[in-house]
Amino acid sequence: MDCPQCRGYKLEPKEIEQGLLAGVCNKCEGALLSLMNYRFWNDQNQPSLEAGEEIEQVEDSSNAKTCPKCSRFMTKFNIGSGESNRLDLCAGCDEAWLDKGEWRLLKQLDLHNQLPKIFTDAWQRNVRRERQEQHFKTRFEKILGTDDFDKVDQFKDWMSRHAELESIKLYLTTKIE
Ligand SMILES: [Zn+2]
Ligand SMILES: [Zn+2]
């Protein structure tokens, strides 16, 4: 099979983790991972993250990829709201493409043992919601400055859990002329 990233380079069988075989490209070091292989492996292995490892930036190839098996376009899935990296999946073949370093990134995020979760609607919706929330907060932080924003944010959090929420809102917005 050819690498979906590098023209003319073949994928070769290689372990990306002990006992977990993938098709790896020697040039870009990306890996095509069969989710069936992955599930077998995951049922038997629980590799733990080596202590003290820092999360490092991993480069993500953002171009559209075609599946090396069936030549259809693969779909991109966000790993998480804090990461720009996306994984490619061919749902038909159940094959995932990981760019160089993305397996390591998954381990650092402790997602390596729940990989298929990333490919669910629920996971993707949650990533979008978290990003929107972050975007929303950043906008107000810019307007208010960090100190005041933190005060308002803490207050909002406290208020939202208060039994008399509606009374608090009313008090805040009512002005006696
Ligand atoms: Zn390649
Ligand atoms: Zn395919």
Side-chain angles (χ1 to χ4, degrees), residues 119-136:
F119 304 124
T120 61
D121 284 347
W123 187 272
Q124 294 304 309
R125 261 200 312 274
N126 194 43
V127 169
R128 281 196 295 273
R129 194 191 53 76
E130 280 177 17
R131 281 190 181 157
Q132 276 168 6
E133 191 182 4
Q134 198 48 54
H135 189 73
F136 179 74

Side-chain angles (χ1 to χ4, degrees), residues 37-167:
N37 273 359
Y38 170 82
R39 287 190 190 94
F40 282 133
W41 170 83
N42 200 34
D43 284 346
Q44 289 158 354
N45 291 272
Q46 295 298 331
S48 56
L49 186 62
E50 297 100 77
E53 275 197 77
E54 299 261 308
I55 295 207
E56 55 182 46
Q57 275 310 99
V58 180
E59 227 176 284
D60 179 45
S61 62
S62 54
N63 57 323
K65 288 181 192 62
T66 52
C67 172
K69 268 191 171 172
C70 69
S71 301
R72 291 199 181 91
F73 276 113
M74 300 177 93
T75 313
K76 294 196 177 290
F77 290 86
N78 290 302
I79 293 178
S81 58
E83 282 70 36
S84 60
N85 295 71
R86 291 182 295 170
L87 301 182
D88 296 87
L89 176 79
C90 174
C93 300
D94 219 20
E95 298 272 351
W97 176 259
L98 282 67
D99 287 315
K100 179 189 178 183
E102 281 180 340
W103 174 253
R104 208 178 135 82
L105 177 69
L106 291 174
K107 282 169 77 178
Q108 286 169 337
L109 296 169
D110 213 18
L111 289 172
H112 59 287
N113 51 11
Q114 39 187 336
L115 183 56
K117 239 191 201 177
I118 295 172
F119 304 124
T120 61
D121 284 347
W123 187 272
Q124 294 304 309
R125 261 200 312 274
N126 194 43
V127 169
R128 281 196 295 273
R129 194 191 53 76
E130 280 177 17
R131 281 190 181 157
Q132 276 168 6
E133 191 182 4
Q134 198 48 54
H135 189 73
F136 179 74
K137 285 188 171 189
T138 308
R139 255 174 59 204
F140 283 90
E141 196 175 344
K142 269 188 191 147
I143 297 168
L144 299 171
T146 306
D147 287 353
D148 284 352
F149 174 78
D150 284 348
K151 270 184 215 160
V152 177
D153 195 42
Q154 276 169 27
F155 181 77
K156 186 183 176 183
D157 185 49
W158 169 82
M159 181 178 104
S160 68
R161 288 179 280 109
H162 202 285
E164 290 300 330
L165 171 64
E166 290 311 314
S167 301

